[in-house]
Amino acid sequence: MLNCISNIAWYFEDTEQVFKIMCENQIFNVEVAPLELIDCWDFPNYNKLNLFCDICRDYGISISSMQSIFYKKQINIFENMKKSVKHMNFVKEICNMIKCPYIVFGSPKNRNTNKSQEASMSELNCFFKQLNFAHEGLLIGIEANPAEYGTNFLNNYQQISKYMQEYNQLNSVRTHFDIGCYLLSNNNFFDIKDLRIENMHLSMEYLKNDCAVLENNYRNNIFKKILREDHDKKDRPMILSLEMRKTKISHLCTILANLSKMDL
């Protein structure tokens, strides 16, 4: 069932109000976007970050994952891997500060490539090796981003399956399954067992927040299939996080109330 929500859905000043609603609906995990907490990359607002962590503690909310890790960074991992690694090391520092164990790797515009998919997969593997996630106790999940999101690399889960089976050599690198991306990328066939899915996003295309569509996507059989394949995971529970753009608190309350009554 839904057990998390991304903080891109509300404004920072509404955090306590949202956390109250989450607790009422038995949701005790939050996914975070760094710039929602530190304002900017160059001059991070650590006071704001610490305040958010304090509010999390007050409400018993765990920070389960981080997304939007390259948002507003004008770098490409294939064109400038050194700068990209440096930026990711800072992202890891933030994760350690807030005790976040998992990173979502979407970042569509930062992973565009002018090389073949195969050559880019090999370079991506080198990129992840340099980051040494296992040493930090972190996991990273690769998210398929369709071409409509502005990238030409790993556009669907069939391609991610190929990467995981033929290129990935790291146990710390997993797959992040996003239902909105899956539906937008034409539902390419893949074997769930080949993906090593760690966590999931409940979303719709372009992060829209239509309640009826989100409920319909929640009913999609792919969620049930993934959770059936997840039965043997022992280390940590699957996080199913609601991801959508900012909305009014009243609308968010309605969505959470409806989704929390649904089971997979």
Side-chain angles (χ1 to χ4, degrees):
M1 61 182 294
L2 187 74
N3 57 10
C4 182
I5 179 170
S6 169
N7 75 333
I8 66 171
W10 69 86
Y11 294 98
F12 185 86
E13 56 267 25
D14 294 326
T15 296
E16 286 204 62
Q17 189 175 352
V18 173
F19 279 5
K20 289 178 183 177
I21 297 169
M22 288 169 58
C23 291
E24 290 170 0
N25 290 281
Q26 300 297 301
I27 297 172
F28 299 103
N29 296 287
V30 63
E31 183 169 279
V32 297
L35 292 194
E36 296 288 341
L37 305 181
I38 62 172
D39 293 335
C40 68
W41 296 113
D42 294 332
F43 303 99
N45 185 344
Y46 291 115
N47 289 332
K48 185 177 180 180
L49 179 71
N50 291 332
L51 175 59
F52 183 83
C53 290
D54 289 342
I55 299 173
C56 285
R57 281 191 290 270
D58 289 344
Y59 286 87
I61 302 292
S62 297
I63 300 174
S64 62
S65 49
M66 180 179 288
Q67 65 170 136
S68 304
I69 54 175
F70 276 90
Y71 183 57
K72 293 189 176 180
K73 288 295 288 186
Q74 305 301 316
I75 51 177
N76 182 286
I77 63 172
F78 300 116
E79 295 173 4
N80 200 325
M81 191 169 291
K82 185 176 180 180
K83 280 188 176 180
S84 299
V85 168
K86 181 179 179 181
H87 173 69
M88 281 300 299
N89 283 333
F90 179 58
V91 169
K92 290 195 299 179
E93 286 180 19
I94 298 175
C95 284
N96 289 329
M97 290 175 65
I98 64 177
K99 296 180 173 58
C100 173
Y102 177 76
I103 297 171
V104 181
F105 180 67
S107 310
K109 295 177 181 178
N110 305 88
R111 70 189 204 198
N112 256 320
T113 180
N114 56 12
K115 301 178 182 178
S116 68
Q117 290 287 307
E118 290 75 14
S120 298
M121 287 182 186
S122 181
E123 287 193 27
L124 181 64
N125 195 43
C126 293
F127 176 64
F128 286 147
K129 282 183 177 179
Q130 291 184 62
L131 293 171
N132 197 12
F133 290 107
H135 179 71
E136 307 286 343
L138 290 169
L139 297 176
I140 187 164
I142 308 173
E143 181 181 74
N145 286 161
E148 289 85 348
Y149 286 5
T151 190
N152 61 359
F153 180 56
L154 297 179
N155 294 127
N156 57 60
Y157 285 101
Q158 187 177 42
Q159 293 170 339
I160 290 185
S161 178
K162 177 181 176 68
Y163 173 78
M164 296 300 291
Q165 293 301 303
E166 300 180 19
Y167 293 86
N168 179 48
Q169 301 170 342
L170 302 172
N171 188 52
S172 56
V173 177
R174 310 292 176 89
T175 296
H176 187 87
F177 188 84
D178 185 296
I179 186 67
C181 293
Y182 167 73
L183 295 173
L184 198 55
S185 62
N186 299 316
N187 307 356
N188 295 80
F189 173 80
F190 56 84
D191 189 331
I192 291 173
K193 293 180 181 178
D194 292 340
L195 284 175
R196 300 179 68 216
I197 295 171
E198 186 66 21
N199 291 328
M200 298 191 288
H201 273 156
L202 171 61
S203 65
M204 58 182 294
E205 68 275 10
Y206 306 107
L207 300 182
K208 295 176 183 176
N209 49 35
D210 184 293
C211 187
V213 176
L214 286 168
E215 289 178 27
N216 187 60
N217 287 356
Y218 189 70
R219 296 187 185 96
N220 192 292
N221 285 331
I222 192 67
F223 275 152
K224 296 178 182 178
K225 291 179 181 178
I226 291 172
L227 289 174
R228 279 200 297 268
E229 295 293 338
D230 185 59
H231 71 279
D232 60 344
K233 284 176 67 174
K234 301 290 195 300
D235 53 342
R236 59 194 295 261
M238 175 80 77
I239 296 294
L240 175 53
S241 179
L242 176 63
E243 183 195 33
M244 63 185 189
R245 64 194 181 196
K246 286 179 173 52
T247 187
K248 293 180 179 179
I249 298 297
S250 57
H251 185 56
L252 178 60
C253 185
T254 298
I255 291 174
L256 290 182
N258 290 350
L259 290 174
S260 64
K261 297 173 183 177
M262 300 171 63
D263 202 358
L264 288 172

